[in-house]
Amino acid sequence: PVLDTEDAWVSVEGPVSIVELALEQKRIHYPLVEHQFVLCTILYAIMRLSLKAVKPLSLFDSKGKNAFFKDLTSIQLLPSGDMDPNVLSIRQQFLLKVVSAAVQTLCSSQKDKEVSEEEYFPFEKGKNWPTLAADLAQYLQISEDLVRRHYVCELYSYGMDHLGEE
């Protein structure tokens, strides 16, 4: 973009403006940022739901793992449509663990103290972990329907029939 400046500002000396610095930056490769976001979401789910025995990098193939250690401005080969069935199986198990842990946490907190989800996760108002898992399924090439069905089954198994029907 062309930046027009007034004549009075041309002769001013000092540090470079923030706009000029921003324009000099290389453009980021958005799919690589999105790939990093998926990893951050996975790590946050593991931490927040206290999931045990999960190896986050095992959810990615070799191309995906290598992409994490590259500059965000570089154009990297990201995982393509064909995935190793073992990796897909590990991803599916992880997403189902997230849904199970979220339902278990919600049900145990409501039975103990009659606490709502918003009160149990105070910094995450509006964050619905099963919905987040379904969104992650899209990025991880797992069927969203499988995750949603598991969510409904978990709700019924914990006696939350009214939520399962919805």
Side-chain angles (χ1 to χ4, degrees):
V2 177
L3 297 174
D4 293 331
T5 56
E6 296 178 14
D7 295 334
W9 290 103
V10 173
S11 62
V12 173
E13 293 182 18
V16 181
S17 77
I18 195 164
V19 174
E20 291 173 345
L21 286 175
L23 290 174
E24 291 174 6
Q25 297 293 315
K26 293 180 183 177
R27 296 200 184 272
I28 62 165
H29 184 58
Y30 187 75
L32 194 54
V33 174
E34 198 171 51
H35 189 62
Q36 296 277 351
F37 172 74
V38 169
L39 177 64
C40 290
T41 305
I42 289 169
L43 292 173
Y44 186 65
I46 292 169
M47 179 203 66
R48 193 67 181 105
L49 298 172
S50 301
L51 298 177
K52 305 286 189 242
V54 176
K55 297 178 181 174
L57 289 180
S58 69
L59 300 171
F60 300 94
D61 64 356
S62 59
K63 286 182 187 176
K65 289 176 189 175
N66 290 336
F68 289 125
F69 303 101
K70 302 296 180 185
D71 187 24
L72 292 178
T73 59
S74 65
I75 296 180
Q76 290 299 313
L77 290 175
L78 292 173
S80 61
D82 296 332
M83 288 294 297
D84 179 19
N86 295 330
V87 174
L88 290 176
S89 174
I90 292 170
R91 288 177 174 183
Q92 179 178 329
Q93 290 172 6
F94 169 73
L95 291 173
L96 298 183
K97 274 186 184 180
V98 168
V99 170
S100 297
V103 172
Q104 181 181 12
T105 302
L106 179 63
C107 291
S108 66
S109 67
Q110 286 184 345
K111 285 180 184 174
D112 291 344
K113 303 176 191 170
E114 294 299 324
V115 178
S116 70
E117 185 175 7
E118 287 80 22
E119 291 170 354
Y120 190 74
F121 299 119
F123 303 111
E124 303 164 354
K125 290 190 178 175
K127 181 167 292 222
N128 185 344
W129 284 101
T131 303
L132 182 72
D135 292 343
L136 263 181
Q138 206 173 20
Y139 290 109
L140 298 176
Q141 299 172 349
I142 302 295
S143 170
E144 290 179 56
D145 288 338
L146 179 78
V147 175
R148 292 185 196 284
R149 275 182 292 190
H150 183 71
Y151 178 44
V152 171
C153 290
E154 286 291 314
L155 288 173
Y156 278 117
S157 69
Y158 279 95
M160 309 274 297
D161 295 0
H162 62 284
L163 290 175
E165 291 172 2
E166 289 178 26

